[in-house]
Amino acid sequence: MSHETGSAIDTYIHDLFLPHDDALEAALRNAQAAGLRSIQVPPELGRLLGILVQAIGARRVLEIGTLGGYSAIHLARALPADGRLISLELDERHAQVARQNLSHAGLADRAEVRVGAALDLLPALTADAPFDLAFIDADKESYPAYLEWCVRLVRPGGMIVVDNVLSRRGVIPPAADDAAGRGIAAMNEAAARDPRLEAIIVPTRGGRDGVLLAVVRAEAAAAT
């Protein structure tokens, strides 16, 4: 698929399904004003995240990688009034922007941003588990470890969603000098082989990237 065709597909989907949204657009402006990199999920994936939360009746959601809170808004909005999102963010400045954006969107009561290295914070989340859905969008080198933790923390029948799983030229196959590409490829392979998961990669961004969708099988509870 050519870049032009992919862009046309993105535009078509956006125009059909993604109307103007004050809170989301304010979140993007605030993140830009704070100097955050524009690496948040695209609007189409944000919409998909919200649909998945609703489709499985999720009440507890885990996010690894908050950035400015754009994807967190999509996730938290889809939760019921008594639902809860816990989002993990390494950078305190990013977390502050995300909290402001979540508050502006009226979601401060159901979304919590915890600051620190995700691999340091994840063990304590056993007290908050089980989660119904987990979304991973953070440093790619740690993707295999993040996936393993999410399999442990998400309930059987729950979902794990991972962004940017085809984002590096070195994923197929991974380049020896590309740690991020190797991390992504290792996680993709682990998800494909893991008997606790039913998984597939769906191309996104007009075929320029992909998202991993996985359901935790009932057998996972006995295996973890």
Side-chain angles (χ1 to χ4, degrees), residues 51-166:
I51 289 171
L52 292 174
V53 168
Q54 295 178 73
I56 66 170
R59 303 178 71 86
R60 303 177 74 82
V61 172
L62 169 64
E63 178 180 47
I64 302 177
T66 315
L67 194 61
Y70 184 81
S71 53
I73 292 173
H74 281 284
L75 291 163
R77 271 183 175 174
L79 289 168
D82 62 347
R84 188 182 186 202
L85 165 70
I86 297 176
S87 187
L88 310 183
E89 172 54 46
L90 177 64
D91 191 302
E92 175 62 43
R93 185 169 58 94
H94 294 179
Q96 291 175 358
V97 173
R99 291 182 184 119
Q100 292 168 0
N101 286 332
L102 286 160
S103 179
H104 180 264
L107 299 165
D109 62 334
R110 70 183 73 171
E112 175 189 357
V113 181
R114 299 185 183 180
V115 179
L119 290 177
D120 294 335
L121 298 175
L122 284 164
L125 287 177
T126 54
D128 299 282
F131 292 89
D132 302 298
L133 183 143
F135 175 52
I136 303 171
D137 186 13
D139 62 293
K140 313 312 175 193
E141 294 88 341
S142 299
Y143 264 25
Y146 293 156
L147 178 69
E148 177 60 32
W149 268 108
C150 287
V151 175
R152 299 181 195 178
L153 294 170
V154 172
R155 65 167 172 83
M159 290 199 69
I160 300 170
V161 184
V162 190
D163 194 21
N164 302 133
V165 298
L166 298 175

Side-chain angles (χ1 to χ4, degrees), residues 26-43:
L28 295 178
R29 290 194 302 271
N30 293 340
Q32 183 179 31
L36 274 62
R37 295 174 61 196
S38 182
I39 54 172
Q40 69 282 336
V41 302

